Amino acid sequence: MTHAAAPSGHALEQSKFELFVEIAMLLAVITGIEIITVYLPFAKGLLVGALVAASVVKFLFVIFIFMHLRWDKAFCTVLFFIGLILAGGTMWALVQLFGAAASVPLSSP
Amino acid sequence: MSSTAAAATIDHHHDPSTATGIPNKKLLMWAFLASDCMFFGCLISTHLIYRLHPPPGVPAARDVFSIELTSFSTFILLMSSLMMALAVNAIQKGNLKSLRACLATTILFGAIFLGCQVYEFSHFVSEKHLTITSNILGTTFYTLTGTHGLHVLIGVIWLASMLAYSFTGRLTEKDSIDVESMGLYWHFVDIVWIVIFTVVYLLEYL
């Protein structure tokens, strides 16, 4: 089993170079699309959704490919996503709290 | 046996000597990055809350920001992430020459990013009269992007230290976990910027 796994592992290391370059080019293209998106004459909600989706795609590509989560043990993914979910939950809660009508500052126009 | 052949026998993703099967240094870095997510989450929340209720007299961010410069910085940081990934790939194959070239390029890209940020900050202060104390936009913007810039600076110093260490002859493919941990930190700096670029910069143009 070890002998069978070794060549595939070596081949994986060889193919990583091409994969990293392809992912980097993809990330650059997505960034370019994001910049063009802000100038498009579409509904604001649609554009916000598109920008957030593009950021999430870039984020996931970097953590799973460049940061090797795809090949590492699942516990690394779980550990990182605990922090990510706590951070996202805190952000969502704060924005909801301060977005409430009662939270509008008196000095706000 | 060549160094490449030796590297092929090392499993860089699993460590049977630890209870989790994950190298301790890597586990420590992932735990740190998870905690840093919460740190940046709070800073980004602060900026979003400001955007919900901007007080009167605060200039529109789109009149202050330069999308061209920030886009260039973003592209540079993305490419630095590529070079960092290639550096980790190189040390895992025991290729020190390639490692040094990739690390040097990553340092260069990190320095360019920092240079762009210094230029941006000085331009905002001198031309747009936006300081950290002038209004809530300045406070949230400089705190968030400045903290990220500090992370980049720490990363560049770490990269430069690793590059210097590689010339001592003591860095081999068996120590690839040290380079990989550093790489995780650098990629994290990149993913934080991916979020900042969208939330702080691009959304202001809608």
Side-chain angles (χ1 to χ4, degrees):
Chain A
M1 188 173 176
T2 307
H3 291 291
S8 64
H10 185 63
L12 177 71
E13 294 297 323
Q14 291 288 343
S15 65
K16 272 187 182 176
F17 179 87
E18 287 83 8
L19 178 65
F20 289 153
V21 173
E22 285 170 7
I23 294 298
M25 294 305 114
L26 185 61
L27 293 175
V29 169
I30 294 173
T31 303
I33 292 170
E34 281 182 313
I35 296 162
I36 294 168
T37 300
V38 298
Y39 296 106
L40 294 177
F42 295 132
K44 189 177 177 180
L46 188 68
L47 295 177
V48 170
L51 287 174
V52 170
S55 290
V56 169
V57 168
K58 285 163 69 180
F59 191 97
L60 293 176
F61 268 128
V62 173
I63 65 169
F64 279 102
I65 306 295
F66 283 170
M67 296 172 87
H68 294 169
L69 274 185
R70 179 180 166 188
W71 298 284
D72 279 335
K73 286 210 175 253
F75 185 71
C76 292
T77 308
V78 172
L79 186 61
F80 185 62
F81 271 76
I82 287 173
L84 206 57
I85 290 167
L86 283 172
T90 306
M91 286 174 68
W92 177 82
L94 284 171
V95 170
Q96 291 300 312
L97 277 171
F98 284 89
S103 298
V104 177
L106 295 176
S107 62
S108 191
Chain B
M1 185 166 62
S2 72
S3 58
T4 307
T9 62
I10 301 173
D11 187 345
H12 297 287
H13 300 292
H14 305 104
D15 184 357
S17 67
T18 63
T20 56
I22 303 165
N24 288 329
K25 287 179 181 176
K26 184 186 283 189
L27 196 60
L28 174 70
M29 184 51 70
W30 275 115
F32 166 72
L33 297 182
S35 69
D36 225 18
C37 275
M38 291 180 262
F39 179 56
F40 275 105
C42 290
L43 291 177
I44 292 169
S45 300
T46 313
H47 186 78
L48 288 175
I49 290 165
Y50 140 70
R51 286 192 85 254
L52 281 175
H53 310 297
V58 176
R62 68 164 69 188
D63 298 333
V64 178
F65 293 160
S66 165
I67 192 74
E68 296 86 0
L69 180 68
T70 314
S71 303
F72 173 71
S73 299
T74 305
F75 179 76
I76 285 291
L77 206 58
L78 285 173
M79 291 306 108
S80 78
S81 243
L82 167 65
M83 297 316 295
M84 187 69 245
L86 295 181
V88 173
N89 204 32
I91 189 65
Q92 287 179 345
K93 291 177 179 175
N95 190 341
L96 274 180
K97 191 178 174 184
S98 177
L99 169 79
R100 287 174 190 142
C102 292
L103 285 182
T105 314
T106 311
I107 292 167
L108 175 68
F109 286 168
I112 291 172
F113 178 86
L114 286 173
C116 288
Q117 196 165 46
V118 168
Y119 173 79
E120 183 186 46
F121 283 10
S122 60
H123 178 72
F124 287 175
V125 171
S126 61
E127 302 290 327
K128 308 288 183 180
H129 307 294
L130 180 73
T131 67
I132 197 166
T133 55
S134 58
N135 53 50
I136 192 73
L137 169 64
T139 306
T140 60
F141 172 77
Y142 284 120
T143 306
L144 174 57
T145 56
T147 304
H148 177 266
L150 186 64
H151 275 70
V152 175
L153 179 63
I154 292 168
V156 167
I157 293 170
W158 194 356
L159 285 161
S161 304
M162 190 63 76
L163 179 61
Y165 185 68
S166 73
F167 286 99
T168 64
R170 284 180 285 178
L171 187 67
T172 65
E173 61 266 36
K174 289 180 183 173
D175 308 309
S176 65
I177 189 63
D178 295 330
V179 180
E180 191 176 347
S181 298
M182 182 179 67
L184 290 177
Y185 176 83
W186 190 259
H187 294 309
F188 178 77
V189 166
D190 185 31
I191 58 174
V192 169
W193 186 255
I194 285 173
V195 177
I196 291 176
F197 180 59
T198 300
V199 172
V200 176
Y201 290 92
L202 291 180
L203 290 184
E204 295 290 350
Y205 287 82
L206 296 180

